[in-house]
Amino acid sequence: MLKVAVGHSNDPNASAAIDEVIEQCMQSLGGQVPQAGILFTAIDFDHPLILERIQDVFPSIDLIGGTTDGEISSVLDYQQDSITLMVFCSDQVEIHAGLGRGVSKDVVAATQQAVTEAQSKSKLATKLCLTVPESLTTSGVRILDGLKQALGDRTLIVGGTAADQQRMQHTYQFFRGEVLSDSVPILLFSGDVLFSCGMAGGWKTIGKQGIVTKVDSNILYEIDGKPALEFYLHYLGAPPSDEYPLAVYEPSGQKYFMRAPNGYDNDTGSIRFFTDIPNQAQVQMLEASREELLSASQISLQQALDTYPGNEPTAAVLISCASRRHLLGTRTEREYQTIKKNLAKNLPCCGFYSYGELAPLTPKSETYFHNETFVTLLLGVQ
C-alpha cells in the first residue's frame, strides 16, 4: 500500500494557508499518519511558522522541501504565491529524509552527510532519491555529482533546485522543522516502490555544432576557439537570452542537456550560464515556439507512463523550470492543464518551478542537471 495526499492553498496568510493545506491532507489520509512529505512554498511566506504547524500535526514526519518560482498540484493546478504539500503513507515503501549542510563549503561532504543520515534509518537498498537542493550558493552540477558519488549508480536521482521568484538573492530549503539555505535535503525511497521518469523541453536545434574550447565552470569563453558571444550573434543576430538555450551533448553525442544563459560580457565575449558546462563538449543553439514548449509537458508525461513498471501510478511529482514560466507568461497554467487530461482523475500531483532540474536524459539512463525542461516522476507500489 502507498497512500499519497496533497494539499494546496493560495491564501496569502501563512497561518490560514498551511491550516487549509493540512486539513486537505488529513481528509485524504482518512486517519493514517504520514511517514514523509515534500513541501513547496513561495519565497515570501513565514516558513518557520509553516514548518512548526506541520510538525505539530505530524510530529514524526520526515519532511523536505524548498522555495519556488511557482507551484503545481492536482488541487489548484498552477499557482504563484501559494503553499502545496504532498505526504506519503506506506507499509511497503520506506521513505527517509537526510540533510547535508554547508554545501558551498564542501559539496562532497554535504551530499555524503545527507545520504548517510537517510540510509542509516533503513537496511533496505535505496532505489530513488528525491531532492530540492540549494541553487544559488554553489553549482547544481556539483551537487548532483556528489549525490551520485554517495548513492552509486543503482539509485535514480530526480529533483529540482530551490528558487526565489527570479530575484536571485536567497533560496530556502526545508528539513523537518528547519528552514535552511546552502543545504541539500533528500528523501530516499526503498522497498517495493515503483517509479518512472520522463523529461522533455520542446526545443529544437538550429545551426551547426561547435566545440567548447575555453570554459570556467559556468562562464563560457570560447566555442571553436572564438568568443562564445560570436557563436550566439552568428545564429541569432542578438545577444544571449533564455529564449535560446544551449544544447550540450553528452559524451556519446546522441542526447543533449540544456544550459540557459544568464548574462554576457561584451569585453571578453564570454557568456554566463546558470550552471557548469563541460570543457570540449559539443554544443548547439536551440529555439522553440510557445506551443512547442507547452507540448513538452505531455511528452514528458508520456515517457513516464510508457516506462512505468506497474499497472497504475499512485502519485506524480512534476518539476518545471523558472525560465519556462518566464517564457510562457500567462500560458504557464497550460503546462499542467495539458497533461491533466491524460492523468487518472484522482491522481495526487504536486510540483514546482525550479532553477534547475535533475532527471535522466532517457527513462533508464544517467541523471543530468538541466535547464528549461519539464520533468515527470510517477510513483507507486508493486
Side-chain angles (χ1 to χ4, degrees), residues 79 85 118 135 141 153 167 180 187 207 281 308 320 326 334 365:
Q79 296 288 325
L85 171 68
S135 58
V141 172
D153 58 8
R167 299 172 192 176
L180 308 117
L187 280 182
Y308 183 71
S320 190
H326 169 71
R334 289 177 55 194
S365 66

Side-chain angles (χ1 to χ4, degrees), residues 49-116:
L49 180 149
I50 291 168
L51 294 181
E52 181 181 1
R53 292 287 179 86
I54 295 172
Q55 292 293 309
D56 286 344
V57 178
F58 307 126
S60 62
I61 193 170
D62 259 1
L63 181 75
I64 71 163
T67 52
T68 72
D69 193 58
E71 304 77 45
I72 311 167
S73 83
S74 47
V75 178
L76 292 180
D77 294 2
Y78 162 72
Q79 296 288 325
Q80 285 186 278
D81 302 313
S82 69
I83 302 171
T84 184
L85 171 68
M86 174 177 274
V87 294
F88 306 92
C89 305
S90 182
D91 56 3
Q92 294 176 255
V93 181
E94 291 192 18
I95 311 171
H96 298 293
L99 177 72
R101 304 172 190 267
V103 68
S104 64
K105 297 176 182 177
D106 191 332
V107 67
V108 173
T111 49
Q112 183 64 62
Q113 179 186 28
V115 171
T116 299

